[in-house]
Amino acid sequence: MYRKKAINTIDFRNVKNYLEMHDIIRESLDFPNYYGRNWDAFWDCITDYFGFMEPVRIEILGLDVIERLFGNEAEILVELLRKAKYYCKDLNPDAPRLKLIEIVDGDKRTEIK
């Protein structure tokens, strides 16, 4: 659980259904097998994740697929990542935090701030 990787890539380009989207998140971020496959469980794991690790980088591929298939689920993911980026820092200025979160669309990279 929570292995340190230089880049954590979440690749949604071939996702087919909602639960598969959460399975991709779990596998990409190395969340525990008991991850609940919902946004509350995502928040619990993502904030726990950064409480125990050095700063990490997350790269998101295929966010447009999530937007097309599941509507506002992509917005929810981005907003939760945006909040998580500063969550641990707000609790403890010396805590690790997300180093960089990028949405990748071909050669275009957009940082989540």
Side-chain angles (χ1 to χ4, degrees):
M1 180 166 82
Y2 305 139
R3 290 181 311 234
K4 182 173 185 209
K5 301 180 221 172
I7 299 176
N8 296 271
T9 301
I10 306 172
D11 188 350
F12 295 123
R13 292 177 291 183
N14 296 312
V15 70
K16 303 278 187 288
N17 62 61
Y18 180 83
L19 293 178
E20 183 182 21
M21 174 186 71
H22 278 285
D23 289 340
I24 290 168
I25 290 169
R26 183 186 58 78
E27 291 168 19
S28 301
L29 297 178
D30 201 31
F31 285 169
N33 288 335
Y34 58 81
Y35 170 64
R37 297 161 95 187
N38 62 62
W39 295 124
D40 289 335
F42 176 85
W43 179 254
D44 291 344
C45 287
I46 201 77
T47 53
D48 187 40
Y49 188 58
F50 299 111
F52 293 101
M53 296 188 65
E54 295 177 16
V56 295
R57 178 178 172 175
I58 296 175
E59 178 179 81
I60 303 170
L61 305 172
L63 190 65
D64 60 316
V65 175
I66 299 301
E67 290 171 339
R68 187 175 69 250
L69 292 175
F70 312 120
N72 72 335
E73 299 302 314
E75 292 174 32
I76 293 169
L77 173 62
V78 169
E79 185 57 29
L80 287 173
L81 285 170
R82 182 177 285 118
K83 287 179 181 179
K85 188 170 181 181
Y86 299 100
Y87 176 78
C88 288
K89 211 58 164 166
D90 289 343
L91 294 177
N92 176 358
D94 298 324
R97 68 178 183 90
L98 285 139
K99 184 176 186 178
L100 178 67
I101 306 170
E102 289 183 314
I103 299 169
V104 180
D105 182 14
D107 292 334
K108 180 182 172 198
R109 294 176 173 270
T110 306
E111 183 179 355
I112 295 175
K113 296 187 186 251

